[in-house]
Structures are given as C-alpha cells and as structure tokens.
Amino acid sequence: MSNSNLVDSNYKGFGYKEFEPSSFESLCHSHTPPNPRENDQHSGRVRQGRLIQGMGDDPGRLYRLDGVAHIAGMINDEPRRCISSVRRQQGMRLDERYVPYLQMAGLYHLARLNDRWFRLDEPLVSAFVERWRPETHTFHMPFGECTITLQDVAYQLGLPVDGHYVSGCLTDFHLYIEGGRPAWQWFHELLGVLPPENQVQKFAVNCTWFQETFGECPDGADEETVRRFARAYIMMLLGTQLFADKSGNHIHIRWLPYVARLEEMGGYSWGSAALAWLYRCMCRVTNRHVVKLAGPLQLLQSWIFWRFPSFRPTGYDEISWPLSSRWSGYNPGISNKGPRVHMARLKIDLLQPRDFIWMPYSALDVIQVVHPEVLEPRHTMLWRCVTSLIYFAVVEWHQERAEHILQFDIVPDPGPSHDFLTWWH
C-alpha cells in the first residue's frame, strides 16, 4: 500500500478493464455507487423500522451514526450486555508443502497463528467496545484516546502493510477481470472440484465442506495438486482468520481472482484490509441492537493485552512471532459473562495514563523475535499515514499523523510528565 496506491482510484491488481458507465453500474447492482458504510447493495436501507437515507441526500448528517443508538448510552438499561464473538479455527493442517505459496502471498505468519489458537474474552472485549467511537475510530479512555494502528497489525499478525488495496469484483469475474472465468467454472479450474449444491449459499461455500475436501493433501501429490490444496487453504485462512463475517461458517468465492495468481498475492496490503474490516465490525457492534462481533478478533484481544498489562492473563510470558501468538492456548471460560463485563467496565473506569503501554514494541524481547520484513521502510513509513483503509466495499479511515505523535527519548522512567498530560487532555 504505497503512497500512490493508498488512494489511487485505478485498480492495479488483476489487470482490471476500463469500465464503461453502464458496466460499472452493473457491477454495483445499482445506479448509485455502493454505500461505503455498509455492504448493502443499495444506498438506502431499512433500519429500526424506518428508511435511512444516504449522505448524498443530506451532507450535514453523519451517516455512520444515523439512527444508531450507541451502547455507551444504554449501559444503565443493559448493565450486563455481552457481545458474542464469531470465530472459527481453520481445520486444515498447515502442510509444509503450502509454505512457499503462503510466503509468496505474504500470509505465512498468519497461517502459523492458526495453530496457536486462543479464545476471545468476550466480557473484556465487550467493555472495550463500549469505549469505541465510530466517529474517530478510537477508544475513549479516562486518560485520553487510543486505537489499533497499522503498526499494531504488522507486529501482532505479521501482515504486510505496503501494497495494493484488497478490492475487486465479487462474482462476475468473466465480465470485469482480464482472464477471468464464470464463477463456478473458475472455482472448478482452480480447485479441481465443485461443491454440492447443498453446500453452497449464493456465492459462499460451507466451511465444513472445505475442511473435509481439502483437509489433507495426499502424500506424493504432484505440484498442481499441491497448488490446488494451497489455494483452498488460503481461501479458508482469509475467510476465517482475517475476514470472517457473522455467519462464521461460509467462505466467499471473492478470493478466486487472488488464488488464481498466487505469485501476485504478496503485492497486496493484507494488513490495511484486515484493519479496515476490524474497524467496520467494531463500529457495527457499538450499536446496542447488534451483539455479534466478527473480524480479526485475535488482533483486537492481543492489542488489549499488549497495551494494557493489567488485563493480561498470567502465565503467558514467552514471546514469539507474530506477537499475538503469545497468548496461545488462552481460554477465559464462558461462565458469569454478565458480572465479568461489569467488572471489566469498572476496571477501565479507573485506568490511569501509566496503565497504558505507549511503546510495547521497543522492548528488547520483542526486538529479538520481530521479523525484519515488517521493519522495511516501505512498510514503516505508512504506520502513521492518514489514509483510507480498503477492503472491497468497506472504506475506513486510519487517522494517525506523524506531526501529532509526541517524539521523545527512551529513558529509565518513561512516566508521562505534567506537560505531556496537559497536551494530551
């Protein structure tokens, strides 16, 4: 996601054809551009029994909050409200024969995380979601604002930040992508098999079928067979670890154009796409009427543990790469969620500036395990950029700015000064 690619209006992946106006309208399934705030096919939609108009009808209205009751204003009515997470561990074994393709795609570190699974602490995450503001993409804490950034994505998941944005056509590949095929014909060509009709829901395939069909690559398989299994593994990895939706059990075929060109997958900004999807999922679940949270939730929980030591589970001191693998095997249990939400909320209310780790990645034990690839200048120069994060129809803002970040030397006592606190508040 180089500077030119972050906001470039031209597709640079897959050799996209130039659209005629009528073709673009067909792609969007509407005579107006798709609403950047939702995945809906039309710019207006029904919410809470009334029609919500798009920003184009009234530019003075903030679309993301239009008709939404933020959960923070309803705590007294629902003091023990707890979100439910939608996560699925990929059931396919990471075969060593897939590794070259995963490295080529920039997803090898993510694949290793699948074998180092940990459960989501839903009460804790619920309490943090109550502090999330969709207007700013920040958590509003007693000591100020903080958020998950592209730097966090790079360290926690080991994903590339610089690259082309992750977007494109969802189904009509033969119409809009050079070399594309009709959807299911292309599926068969790339994976060597078609799912039964009862395993398909529109353009998504049941995860269980994927796992049963591609769970084990045969011994002695030829290179083409290995590529097919690697493609299936990557589709499952993207559909479960990074871009899971609230269904939690289907893999969309939108990834076919990507796995068709495995050699080019490493040129995409998987880190920015993952952060865009996490921002969007958190914005949605701040609505008091939404309780299911999807997205790259291992990133969210690991960020909490790394930045807020008082919330860390004990006994997880070994640091490995990527950093979210530190919490491998963590299981907070599923009982007493209501009281635990209440306790986490009270604990957040008492947070002080000293309870937040401003520079967690400068510690020596982190420097010793970090993969040098994420520290390449082409990636690090983007950690503080103000830009749009793109994941298909999802567009969210990354609002870091270098001139707004306090620069200081590392000292034995990094406690905030009075001048700093005055500036921060």
Side-chain angles (χ1 to χ4, degrees), residues 92-317:
M92 299 181 186
R93 185 175 65 88
L94 177 54
D95 194 302
E96 62 180 14
R97 290 170 291 179
Y98 305 160
V99 171
Y101 299 107
L102 290 164
Q103 291 174 330
M104 192 184 300
L107 299 172
Y108 174 61
H109 302 304
L110 181 72
R112 293 177 62 242
L113 282 177
N114 187 67
D115 294 329
R116 313 191 78 171
W117 188 257
F118 58 87
R119 295 192 178 276
L120 197 74
D121 189 334
E122 294 177 344
L124 175 61
V125 170
S126 291
F128 268 81
V129 164
E130 293 167 7
R131 294 277 183 166
W132 180 258
R133 295 306 307 185
E135 308 96 322
T136 58
H137 289 154
T138 56
F139 295 99
H140 283 212
M141 294 298 180
F143 55 83
E145 299 176 48
C146 56
T147 193
I148 305 168
T149 69
L150 289 170
Q151 181 191 32
D152 294 305
V153 178
Y155 275 94
Q156 297 295 338
L157 302 182
L159 291 174
V161 172
D162 178 55
H164 304 308
Y165 48 76
V166 178
S167 187
C169 178
L170 295 179
T171 56
D172 298 327
F173 310 125
H174 60 298
L175 297 179
Y176 303 111
I177 298 177
E178 290 184 1
R181 308 279 195 278
W184 296 111
Q185 177 186 335
W186 213 7
F187 189 101
H188 187 267
E189 289 180 12
L190 294 174
L191 300 179
V193 64
L194 280 175
E197 290 186 10
N198 63 355
Q199 298 296 318
V200 176
Q201 185 176 24
K202 294 184 178 179
F203 290 94
V205 181
N206 191 291
C207 285
T208 302
W209 179 85
F210 255 98
Q211 293 177 173
E212 293 175 349
T213 306
F214 299 101
E216 292 282 345
C217 187
D219 293 335
D222 59 27
E223 191 59 31
E224 180 55 35
T225 300
V226 173
R227 284 178 68 93
R228 288 175 176 173
F229 275 74
R231 290 184 183 117
Y233 184 94
I234 289 173
M235 290 180 69
M236 276 287 288
L237 189 68
L238 294 173
T240 57
Q241 288 281 66
L242 284 189
F243 305 111
D245 58 22
K246 290 191 290 188
S247 74
N249 59 2
H250 284 84
I251 304 299
H252 200 280
I253 64 170
R254 69 182 66 187
W255 303 116
L256 290 179
Y258 290 85
V259 298
R261 298 173 174 88
L262 290 171
E263 293 77 9
E264 299 177 14
M265 286 189 70
Y268 289 88
S269 178
W270 298 111
S272 68
L275 189 56
W277 186 232
L278 179 60
Y279 279 0
R280 175 61 61 88
C281 291
M282 288 198 294
C283 288
R284 285 175 172 169
V285 84
T286 58
N287 185 339
R288 68 171 299 188
H289 301 290
V290 178
V291 294
K292 285 188 176 182
L293 176 62
L297 302 183
Q298 71 271 42
L299 168 61
L300 172 59
Q301 180 158 287
S302 187
W303 178 85
I304 294 173
F305 290 162
W306 275 92
R307 296 283 184 173
F308 296 88
S310 60
F311 290 104
R312 289 179 188 170
T314 58
Y316 294 87
D317 300 324

Side-chain angles (χ1 to χ4, degrees), residues 358-379:
W358 303 97
M359 300 174 65
Y361 309 131
S362 62
L364 181 60
D365 48 3
V366 172
I367 295 173
Q368 290 174 337
V369 302
V370 66
H371 197 282
E373 182 182 3
V374 305
L375 300 179
E376 292 178 8
R378 66 190 182 97
H379 296 302

Side-chain angles (χ1 to χ4, degrees), residues 6-58:
L6 288 167
V7 293
D8 190 354
S9 60
N10 297 315
Y11 286 107
K12 295 187 177 180
F14 313 140
Y16 275 86
K17 300 175 183 177
E18 193 169 322
F19 293 137
E20 295 294 333
S22 58
S23 299
F24 184 75
E25 290 168 0
S26 300
L27 174 64
C28 298
H29 305 289
S30 170
H31 290 286
T32 57
N35 175 7
R37 291 298 319 142
E38 296 291 339
N39 283 334
D40 298 359
Q41 294 179 345
H42 304 285
S43 60
R45 67 194 186 283
V46 175
R47 178 187 283 163
Q48 298 178 22
R50 66 187 184 90
L51 181 66
I52 303 300
Q53 299 297 324
M55 285 182 65
D57 300 321
D58 184 357

